[in-house]
Amino acid sequence: MKLIFLGPPGAGKGTQAAGVGAHLKVPHISTGDMLRAAIKNGTPTGLKAKSYVEGGQLVPDAILIDMVRERLAMPDCENGYLLDGFPRTVEQAVALDGIAAPDAVVNIDVPDERLLARLAGRRVCVKCNGTFNVSKLADESVCPVCGGQMIQRDDDKPETIANRLRVYHEQTAPLIGYYEGQGKLRRIDVEKLPIIDGDSRPEDVFKAILASLE
Ligand code: AMP
């Protein structure tokens, strides 16, 4: 199955994509994770992408399209893929249709006010890449799963968050209409799920996604 996860930053795409990818046995491909690894390793792509990622801007389409084309040509994508964070512009979506068009597109819709709290409180483990909210951590610098060090992503700092949300609404949200027009869109409205401790639960979102794909 070839799947795309769409949604604003902080919608829980990464967490859900990891779970759904494992469940459906297709590789979870996060372009944000690929870019962060490239920046850390100082590769040519990383050097080109660094200033955009740190400023909360989109990396130019040509760089992303080449990166995803190469990744989808790898043997583990033979039976499909789950793309998280790509496409983010209509130009990327058109390019993907020419490489390996998706079968379905899951859109996780979360209102902006909830996203702000989630992004500002997000911490990531440098060891296992697990993502948690500070409100759920006994010690905000220690990963509750593997004991690794928890950090705040540079682009989760308040000044960059506002920029990322603006970029999402201007450049990525139009993809909802693009895929709706192709009859591939599955809408997950977290507002309709139960709210526990001020937010929806990841397990409820997971169930809603699987149900939407049946
Ligand atoms: P994410 O982890 O998906 O929030 O991505 C982090 C950052 O990586 C984004 O704010 C962009 O700077 C960059 N990025 C990730 N995916 C893309 C994409 N498909 N197109 C352009 N930039 C991207």
Side-chain angles (χ1 to χ4, degrees):
M1 182 166 219
K2 300 193 282 289
L3 268 183
I4 289 173
F5 274 26
L6 268 187
K13 289 190 302 294
T15 305
Q16 295 301 333
V20 174
H23 183 82
L24 297 176
K25 300 190 174 57
V26 289
H28 164 210
I29 300 170
S30 155
T31 48
D33 283 350
M34 289 173 80
L35 289 169
R36 280 184 288 278
I39 292 169
K40 199 167 150 198
N41 297 327
T43 68
T45 299
L47 293 176
K48 282 184 236 160
K50 193 172 190 299
S51 62
Y52 297 100
V53 173
E54 286 174 357
Q57 299 292 343
L58 293 187
V59 177
D61 286 332
I63 296 177
L64 263 293
I65 291 166
D66 283 349
M67 195 174 91
V68 168
R69 184 184 285 112
E70 271 177 36
R71 180 66 187 84
L72 294 183
M74 290 184 182
D76 63 335
C77 296
E78 235 167 42
N79 296 321
Y81 58 70
L82 195 167
L83 278 169
D84 155 19
F86 184 96
R88 258 181 160 98
T89 63
V90 172
E91 188 174 339
Q92 293 178 15
V94 171
L96 182 64
D97 279 345
I99 301 169
D103 301 310
V105 178
V106 173
N107 182 52
I108 309 178
D109 202 12
V110 181
D112 274 9
E113 49 290 4
R114 253 203 257 174
L115 297 172
L116 286 171
R118 285 189 188 187
L119 289 166
R122 176 158 74 178
R123 298 292 181 272
V124 183
C125 174
V126 292
K127 209 164 142 199
C128 72
N129 212 25
T131 302
F132 304 92
N133 195 279
V134 278
S135 62
K136 303 271 178 338
L137 293 171
D139 179 340
E140 68 173 78
S141 60
V142 181
C143 174
V145 172
C146 76
Q149 191 202 353
M150 302 287 289
I151 55 156
Q152 182 173 42
R153 276 170 48 171
D154 282 337
D155 59 351
D156 280 344
K157 306 265 159 73
E159 58 279 17
T160 317
I161 290 176
N163 213 12
R164 290 167 66 210
L165 288 175
R166 193 179 45 74
V167 166
Y168 168 77
H169 287 296
E170 284 175 12
Q171 304 195 52
T172 306
L175 290 178
I176 296 171
Y178 179 85
Y179 287 119
E180 197 159 41
Q182 293 189 352
K184 292 180 179 173
L185 197 73
R186 311 279 195 274
R187 286 178 187 272
I188 310 297
D189 184 356
V190 301
E191 293 276 83
K192 295 205 177 112
L193 298 174
I195 304 290
I196 316 283
D197 292 337
D199 213 338
S200 41
R201 291 182 306 183
E203 55 268 41
D204 290 331
V205 181
F206 180 76
K207 277 189 214 145
I209 292 173
L210 291 189
S212 81
L213 293 172
E214 269 167 15

